[in-house]
Amino acid sequence: MNALPEGTRARVSTARLADGVATLVLDAGGLDQAARAALEAEVRAALAGVEGVAEVRVALMGDRAGGPAPASQRPRPRIVAVGSGKGGVGKSTLSANLAVALARLGHKVGLVDADIYGPSQPRLLGNEGKKPEAHDKVMFPVPSEWGVPVLSMGHLVEPGRAIAWRGPMASGALGQLVEAHWGDIELLLIDLPPGTGDVQLTMVQKHRPVGAVIVSTPQDLALIDATRAMNFFDQAGVPVIGMVENMSGYVCPHCGEASDPFGHGGAEAAAAAAGVPFLGHIPLDLAIRRDSDAGKPPAAGDTPQGRAFAAVARRLADWLAHAPATAPANPG
């Protein structure tokens, strides 16, 4: 990033160039809104003519030196919950890639890993081993090279350590993650644990998402639990934005034959039966597994796998563009 002015280079926390996309996380501490905008514009202008750079993504981290503003004075991002009725359907992978795809569309998006007992996002977004900073007990999210800041219990505990907490403790931990200093983030995705327990109840009652995305595989057992998850959000007064069918079809990399190990179209049919939108199919693909394990979200690229996540992100962004700016009132 030698094209950047020296003073600007000092503010670069992380920088990455891959597939023509330059992704930079900048420390904007001490800058007012106008100065932050000028810093971002300067970076974009400096890299616009650099050979090999086709796209520039910039994430600005908030002011650490003076500490965050009180919660009542901080802008509240809109929250979208990503949930499922059961585990093992790829909800965390979808959440990470959905966040990255939305960031590529120009949205200022952050991610909360609310799966307190089985956090996956540090691995998926490639920032394992990094700890969040805090000021007056308010955390700052951990940046990622994909332009999506994230907070997870995986950033707070040692890798592999079991978390044996009762419901109230887990719910309290979720509150600290959601109420962190998210800076200018406008949209916060919450990767929920499976089921409809204490963490989910706390999230819908206290943090009031504007909507929820339901993830399921096509098989009947997963769809039964996905229907329960939709009922949960419906009873809580949270609109279901739509359903995503994950692990939908498999193409053998050797012979090219297509098959459906978990079935195909089940989630789309369930969405139609429930009267909610269907957001898209994500294939069962070796490349998604491999890149996810390596902390390289497929949505960061323009592969067929990345385009599948991008299609879901565009439908979610369209829903948000027409949705109320604030969460619906709690019916309870």
Side-chain angles (χ1 to χ4, degrees):
M1 299 300 169
N2 293 330
L4 298 176
E6 183 176 352
T8 302
R9 285 203 302 271
R11 289 189 174 272
V12 177
S13 298
T14 62
R16 181 177 184 273
L17 178 62
D19 299 325
V21 180
T23 303
L24 297 93
V25 178
L26 305 178
D27 177 8
L31 302 181
D32 59 22
Q33 192 63 35
R36 288 163 65 92
L39 175 65
E40 180 175 353
E42 182 180 47
V43 169
R44 293 185 182 278
L47 297 179
V50 174
E51 183 178 358
V53 177
E55 179 183 350
V56 178
R57 302 177 198 160
V58 179
L60 301 177
M61 300 306 294
D63 189 347
R64 287 168 169 73
S72 60
Q73 298 178 16
R74 297 199 300 269
R76 174 182 168 86
R78 291 203 287 179
I79 292 174
V80 169
V82 182
S84 64
K86 64 178 299 178
V89 298
K91 173 182 47 57
S92 293
T93 300
L94 177 74
S95 298
N97 282 277
L98 196 54
V100 171
L102 286 166
R104 292 190 70 186
L105 291 173
H107 296 270
K108 296 178 179 179
V109 58
L111 179 60
V112 167
D113 186 352
D115 196 342
I116 305 298
Y117 306 107
S120 303
Q121 294 303 340
R123 168 66 61 88
L124 291 166
L125 289 176
N127 55 16
E128 283 182 297
K130 296 185 179 180
K131 302 292 184 182
E133 297 181 23
H135 183 90
D136 290 338
K137 299 182 180 181
V138 179
M139 288 187 289
F140 291 84
V142 178
S144 75
E145 61 180 294
W146 317 108
V148 176
V150 59
L151 277 175
S152 167
M153 283 303 298
H155 292 126
L156 302 174
V157 300
E158 298 174 6
R161 179 184 175 186
I163 302 174
W165 288 354
R166 296 187 184 276
M169 293 180 66
S171 299
L174 171 62
Q176 292 186 41
L177 300 179
V178 175
E179 294 166 4
H181 184 66
W182 289 97
D184 59 356
I185 291 300
E186 299 169 343
L187 177 65
L188 196 59
L189 297 187
I190 299 187
D191 173 18
L192 287 174
T196 53
D198 288 337
V199 172
Q200 290 86 348
L201 286 168
T202 296
M203 189 272 301
V204 299
Q205 292 174 351
K206 183 176 181 180
H207 304 295
R208 302 306 302 159
V210 296
V213 173
I214 305 298
V215 188
S216 179
T217 58
Q219 66 188 116
D220 289 344
L221 285 176
L223 291 167
I224 291 171
D225 291 325
T227 300
R228 292 194 183 101
M230 284 194 289
N231 289 337
F232 168 80
F233 285 111
D234 183 60
Q235 292 173 14
V238 176
V240 174
I241 299 170
M243 290 188 71
V244 176
E245 182 170 293
N246 197 23
M247 307 182 196
S248 179
Y250 172 75
V251 177
C252 176
H254 304 293
C255 68
E257 181 179 352
S259 60
D260 299 303
F262 298 104
H264 182 81
E268 186 171 5
V276 302
F278 180 69
L279 301 179
H281 300 270
I282 305 297
L284 178 64
D285 195 290
L286 178 62
I288 294 177
R289 192 277 302 166
R290 182 186 61 241
D291 291 345
S292 296
D293 285 349
K296 299 178 180 179
D302 294 317
T303 62
Q305 299 84 2
R307 289 194 291 271
F309 289 110
V312 176
R314 285 193 296 270
R315 294 182 181 107
L316 172 57
D318 184 66
W319 187 92
L320 289 168
H322 299 88
T326 57
N330 191 331

